[in-house]
DNA sequence: AATAAGATGCATCAGCAATGCACCTTATGG
DNA sequence: CCATAAGGTGCATTGCTGATGCATCTTATT
């Protein structure tokens, strides 16, 4: 019962971008702030881009930023999108693959687990990225990430220029 | 986001034992019925025994059966007991281990995931093994497992003697 | 004794998440 | 236009750990 690091990295990235507001961030910058593998993060970011969560821009002065306001990015959607394998048990995936349980089609456990998973996701769907950013501990996060205070664009979403 | 096969095997075993009622079953028997590794099941059963879910008996004529009535075995408890690693993300386990996230102590995601996990387990805690056995598809399960009908003790919970 | 069960520990396998590397593509700037 | 700084893409490698197999011991029945 574990989420992949991949998913957590995706969420960390979104948090970082949310704190940074309008300004773009490069993959390297984010990887260094979090002390995580840059190579791995490349794939995470790319996927987030294809999923419409972040907007990437190549070339000099490029980088990434949130594609939508933080308040419109539901945590549940991110998890659903980045976590590849949401099959709690073997029978969740289409039959014929990986063994196949003898009880399939006649097992109540199956639906119970499905129900539990739905409850899990429901909690995550109730919150957006903005909720994660609004934490009172925000300043502490900023410090840990090496971002200065007052530069997040969160309390001043209408930053004049987005020039990097 | 996956439960281990270990956990699923444990639940399958309990379902099997529940259907079998008072009669003991051997590990081999259960493994064959479910077409799963006997060696692996040995460990599962052993752990279930240490956890007080099943009652094992060695030697000839030995085997295992439920240690408590099915209605008193909560699904959530079984999952909690058999699933070793319930740390959804790295930060769930005590600090100092496996990297350590830069956001720890200041991350809202952490508590949100904890909340979601609690919701997940709450669903499982609401049901007992008896609920899994009472499914209308019971006959189908019995057939698939090679157990004859009318021998489960489920519809006749007040079996006169518990003699094996 | 012989046999049929579970108990226990160790070795091995296999899948896949995680990581690294090489190279390509796109954009900016001078 | 070329140099450079970004992201895009594919493939190779590593490492963890769940899953499996095997050998041996212990316990109980007949
Ligand atoms: S026992 Fe039930 S939940 Fe588990 S794999 Fe079989 S059908 Fe699915
Ligand atoms: S980002 Fe938050 S949830 Fe993820 S590991 Fe760090 S502290 Fe935990």
């Amino acid at each position: 019962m574990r989420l992949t690091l991949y998913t957590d990295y995706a969420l960390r990235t979104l948090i970082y971008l949310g704190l940074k507001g309008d300004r773009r961030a490069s993959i390297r910058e984010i990887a260094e702030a979090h002390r995580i593998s840059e190579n791995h993060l490349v794939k995470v970011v790319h996927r987030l881009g294809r999923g419409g969560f972040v907007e990437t821009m190549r070339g000099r002065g490029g980088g990434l930023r949130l594609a939508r306001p933080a308040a419109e990015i539901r945590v549940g959607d991110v998890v659903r999108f980045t976590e590849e394998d949401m099959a709690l048990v073997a029978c969740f995936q289409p039959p014929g693959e990986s063994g196949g349980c003898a009880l399939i089609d006649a097992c109540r456990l199956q639906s119970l687990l499905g129900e539990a998973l739905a409850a899990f996701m429901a909690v995550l769907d109730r919150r957006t990225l903005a909720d994660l950013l609004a934490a009172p501990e925000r300043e502490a996060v900023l410090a840990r990430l090496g971002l200065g205070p007052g530069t997040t664009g969160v309390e001043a979403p209408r930053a004049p220029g987005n020039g990097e």
Side-chain angles (χ1 to χ4, degrees), chain A:
Chain A
M1 185 87 175
R2 254 201 126 126
L3 295 174
T4 58
L5 264 186
Y6 196 94
T7 296
D8 196 52
Y9 286 174
L11 289 165
R12 290 191 210 183
T13 299
L14 293 177
I15 290 173
Y16 187 97
L17 292 177
L19 289 172
K20 198 148 183 185
D22 285 336
R23 295 172 300 153
R24 289 182 200 285
S26 73
I27 291 179
R28 171 170 305 171
E29 172 187 342
I30 299 174
E32 279 173 0
H34 288 169
R35 312 261 181 74
I36 61 184
S37 158
E38 185 180 337
N39 292 298
H40 201 197
L41 194 56
V42 162
K43 284 148 191 127
V44 174
V45 165
H46 178 229
R47 181 148 180 82
L48 283 176
R50 305 242 322 200
F53 294 100
V54 306
E55 180 189 284
T56 62
M57 181 175 284
R58 290 182 169 188
R60 224 183 226 212
L64 45 149
R65 61 180 172 189
L66 295 181
R68 291 175 279 158
E72 292 177 18
I73 300 181
R74 290 195 302 177
V75 178
D77 289 334
V78 178
V79 171
R80 242 185 300 268
F81 186 74
T82 55
E83 190 75 9
E84 286 277 321
D85 181 7
M86 288 293 275
L88 276 180
V89 283
C91 61
F92 271 41
Q93 49 203 22
E97 293 178 33
S98 72
C101 173
L103 300 180
I104 207 162
D105 293 335
C107 174
R108 275 263 155 136
L109 183 56
Q110 215 175 154
S111 60
L112 179 58
L113 288 173
E115 202 183 312
L117 180 58
F120 180 88
M121 294 307 299
V123 171
L124 299 186
D125 280 335
R126 236 179 278 135
R127 302 300 168 82
T128 70
L129 179 57
D131 294 319
L132 299 182
L133 301 178
E137 305 89 347
R138 222 187 76 252
E139 295 300 325
V141 178
L142 288 171
R144 281 171 183 274
L145 291 178
L147 295 172
T151 59
T152 65
V154 167
E155 62 265 85
R158 214 142 293 287
N162 71 339
E164 122 100 284

